[in-house]
Amino acid sequence: MGISPAESGSPEKEQQAAGVGILLQIMMLVLSFVLGHVLRRHKFYYLPEASASLLIGLIVGGLANISNTETSIRAWFNFHEEFFFLFLLPPIIFQSGFSLSAKPFFSNFGAIVIFAILGTFIASVVTGVLVYLGGRMYLMYGLPFVECLMFGALISATDPVTVLSIFQELGTDTNLYALVFGESVLNDAMAISLYRTMSIVRKHASSAQNFFMVIFRFLETFVGSMSAGVGVGFVSALLFKYAGLDVDNLQNLECCLFVLFPYFSYMLAEGLGLSGIVSILFTAIVMKHYSYSNLSENSQQFVSDFFHLISSLAETFTFIYMGFDIAMEKHSWSHLGFIFFSILFIVVARAANVFSCAYLVNLVRPVHRQIPLKHQKALWYSGLRGAMAFALALQSVHDLPEGRGQIIFTATTAIVVLSVLLIGGSTGTMLEALHVVGDSHDGHLGESFDVNNGYVAPSFKKDGTSGNGIKMKLKEFHKRTSSFTALDRNYLTPFFTSQNEDDEEEEEALLDERI
């Protein structure tokens, strides 16, 4: 979706074309925000904001396709995955981590990790294996096994922006919201790491050591990126604590530095060959927990509003240009069987992901605190595919030869459009059918948080259920989590922040509720 000059013509013509292109982009953005506001104000949930933005891009792209301006417009509306990954995605991911509601997120952290890490791995492998078997059985176009796993990894990246916005509007259970939101945040990082690992394995496929290479490369990418993000976050916390920037005449500098640190984290990881998504996500979590409290009150308000603003612009921008590029790009529609069976396999893989992980989570929770089946169904239904899957599929066009990347891109395009328009538009009906609407008593997610909501944070008290071996391991993990909570409260927070005693008491109460 990068902006590039026209390939031919005089400088005056190029400048005029640039102006018209940028004007059209701004007009689509304005139309998307206004239309989204009208739809939200009238509570018309059959066409969410993301779906409306995608439709606007599809309509404008379709009009450009049947007009004589296609060539000149295409130069200004190409969806370049480099532009998406380097400029649009960072603010979206940072805002996701920065806006995490600590209480429901950390209280369900174990379940979120299981769904996002183990669940995404299960979904990727199941999708890849089914696509490979489908090709071997001549049900669909056959791909090599590693490329099937690449497709499974990229299509497992969920993007439930539409579902979450409707969750907030209708008021659903805080734990359900935390699970869907937390899974989507970590899921993107996991999917990108898996895709890049599979891509490296494909380029160096030679021996039986591939399996160990996959494990090593994934751990290297994920752990290295996480370490880089946490390190940058801690450095920013110390800077804002000791640099003395929280005075009136230095607030501009304070805000500028705070905005630059996330991009520094992202580009540092990318420069080291790691995952900038993972890095900036953990930078966001650390900066919100430690660095944010070191800012002046005015700066805190500014950075919160700023990141919310640019993430909203980036998300809307992304859906518009996805729609525009879908209408303008040449797609390989000759393999409809691949598209049809891919959709079926993704539904099966999502079910295997959600219900198997929910079984593991419920195995160690008391009966009255288990994730109910209706929430599991809502979580399964919330697995929309969006910008992340689209960008990775576009990248696969360059990564995979002989048109195989184009087939994957076409299938992903169809899946994204169907999931955003059909699933996104039917989310309100789904919530009402599952009777999960209004579970949050006050309508503000993250504030109503008790057992009356249906289930609460996992408890590790002794009971008579089965799975004692797994429960003992979970108890040990809970003890380590409690130890880390105490470490954070007693050492990390005082060391990295300059909060007063009242803030410490408030933070201590919050951390106690995480246990």
Side-chain angles (χ1 to χ4, degrees):
M1 191 216 64
I3 297 178
S4 59
E7 295 180 359
S8 61
S10 64
E12 293 79 8
K13 295 272 188 178
E14 293 177 4
Q15 187 173 356
Q16 183 182 8
V20 173
I22 295 174
L23 175 63
L24 188 56
Q25 295 172 32
I26 296 174
M27 289 173 60
M28 287 192 293
L29 277 173
V30 172
L31 179 60
S32 295
F33 282 116
V34 172
L35 181 59
H37 171 71
V38 172
L39 293 172
R40 188 168 60 250
R41 185 174 181 178
H42 291 83
K43 297 182 178 180
F44 187 80
Y45 301 121
Y46 297 103
L47 187 64
E49 293 178 64
S51 302
S53 301
L54 187 68
L55 275 178
I56 289 173
L58 282 169
I59 293 171
V60 175
L63 293 176
N65 249 334
I66 62 177
S67 68
N68 296 326
T69 60
E70 178 185 353
T71 303
S72 60
I73 288 182
R74 184 184 294 274
W76 295 95
F77 285 88
N78 280 343
F79 189 105
H80 294 306
E81 64 273 16
E82 296 88 354
F83 186 83
F84 171 75
F85 280 114
L86 294 179
F87 294 100
L88 293 181
L89 191 58
I92 297 175
I93 299 297
F94 183 84
Q95 176 63 15
S96 298
F98 196 72
S99 62
L100 285 176
S101 183
K103 184 162 58 175
F105 178 79
F106 284 104
S107 294
N108 291 280
F109 186 72
I112 290 172
V113 169
I114 290 176
F115 279 110
I117 305 300
L118 178 61
T120 304
F121 180 79
I122 291 173
S124 300
V125 172
V126 170
T127 303
V129 170
L130 290 178
V131 169
Y132 179 74
L133 292 178
R136 299 287 290 182
M137 297 171 64
Y138 301 103
L139 296 175
M140 56 196 298
Y141 182 83
L143 295 174
F145 184 64
V146 175
E147 295 179 11
C148 290
L149 292 177
M150 291 175 66
F151 175 64
L154 71 88
I155 207 63
S156 297
T158 60
D159 187 12
V161 174
T162 300
V163 174
L164 290 175
S165 65
I166 297 176
F167 277 15
Q168 284 184 314
E169 292 289 335
L170 297 180
T172 56
D173 184 85
T174 51
N175 295 276
L176 174 60
Y177 184 91
L179 285 176
V180 175
F181 183 75
E183 183 214 7
S184 68
V185 171
L186 296 178
N187 164 276
D188 285 346
M190 179 71 178
I192 288 179
S193 298
L194 282 174
Y195 177 84
R196 292 184 176 179
T197 301
M198 290 298 110
S199 180
I200 292 173
V201 170
R202 176 189 166 275
K203 294 177 182 177
H204 301 87
S206 58
S207 65
Q209 296 178 348
N210 283 341
F211 176 78
F212 299 100
M213 178 184 175
V214 170
I215 302 298
F216 175 77
R217 285 294 303 172
F218 173 75
L219 291 176
E220 179 186 37
T221 301
F222 196 87
V223 177
S225 304
M226 181 180 67
S227 302
V230 171
V232 172
F234 280 145
V235 170
S236 71
L238 292 175
L239 174 66
F240 291 114
K241 179 179 180 179
Y242 293 110
L245 299 175
D246 54 344
V247 293
D248 292 338
N249 60 336
L250 291 178
Q251 285 183 3
N252 287 339
L253 176 60
E254 187 180 38
C255 294
C256 288
L257 290 175
F258 196 93
V259 170
L260 288 175
F261 265 104
Y263 271 100
F264 175 78
S265 171
Y266 188 92
M267 298 306 173
L268 174 65
E270 291 292 327
L272 295 175
L274 302 173
S275 172
I277 300 300
V278 180
S279 180
I280 198 172
L281 172 62
F282 283 94
T283 297
I285 295 174
V286 172
M287 291 185 72
K288 179 60 180 292
H289 190 56
Y290 299 107
S291 306
Y292 184 74
S293 61
N294 294 331
L295 300 178
S296 62
E297 185 175 346
N298 290 337
S299 296
Q300 288 180 354
Q301 184 64 42
F302 172 81
V303 296
S304 297
D305 294 341
F306 176 78
F307 282 114
H308 184 269
L309 169 66
I310 62 172
S311 67
S312 298
L313 283 171
E315 285 179 358
T316 306
F317 221 51
T318 299
F319 278 103
I320 289 174
Y321 281 93
M322 278 174 56
F324 194 94
D325 202 67
I326 287 170
M328 298 284 286
E329 281 288 338
K330 294 180 180 179
H331 295 281
S332 178
W333 298 110
S334 58
H335 299 284
L336 294 178
F338 188 90
I339 298 173
F340 175 76
F341 283 104
S342 293
I343 294 174
L344 292 182
F345 295 156
I346 289 166
V347 172
V348 173
R350 179 68 180 172
N353 167 2
V354 171
F355 295 112
S356 62
C357 290
Y359 174 79
L360 293 176
V361 172
N362 287 340
L363 194 63
V364 297
R365 289 188 175 185
V367 175
H368 67 284
R369 296 187 174 185
Q370 294 184 352
I371 304 176
L373 182 61
K374 63 181 182 180
H375 289 176
Q376 296 179 35
K377 292 178 180 178
L379 189 61
W380 168 73
Y381 197 85
S382 303
L384 282 75
R385 271 58 175 184
M388 183 64 68
F390 183 81
L392 287 175
L394 195 58
Q395 184 174 326
S396 72
V397 175
H398 308 294
D399 293 340
L400 302 180
E402 301 174 4
R404 297 197 291 267
Q406 191 66 44
I407 295 172
I408 288 177
F409 177 63
T410 301
T412 304
T413 296
I415 293 167
V416 168
V417 173
L418 289 175
S419 65
V420 171
L421 295 182
L422 297 184
I423 298 179
S426 60
T427 299
T429 305
M430 176 270 296
L431 294 176
E432 293 174 355
L434 294 176
H435 305 291
V436 296
V437 175
D439 284 355
S440 181
H441 305 307
D442 59 359
H444 298 285
L445 296 170
E447 296 177 8
S448 170
F449 192 77
D450 51 44
V451 71
N452 295 324
N453 283 342
Y455 68 100
V456 295
S459 172
F460 296 88
K461 296 179 181 179
K462 293 183 179 180
D463 53 41
T465 57
S466 59
N468 291 329
I470 298 178
K471 287 188 176 184
M472 290 299 296
K473 295 180 180 179
L474 266 292
K475 287 179 182 178
E476 294 176 3
F477 175 77
H478 179 64
K479 290 179 180 178
R480 295 192 187 100
T481 304
S482 301
S483 300
F484 175 77
T485 302
L487 174 67
D488 178 49
R489 180 176 63 248
N490 297 327
Y491 298 100
L492 295 180
T493 298
F495 181 76
F496 287 106
T497 66
S498 54
Q499 57 189 10
N500 54 39
E501 294 182 359
D502 293 336
D503 294 331
E504 289 179 359
E505 292 176 0
E506 182 180 347
E507 183 73 13
E508 184 173 343
L510 175 61
L511 291 172
D512 286 340
E513 291 175 357
R514 296 180 190 172
I515 306 175

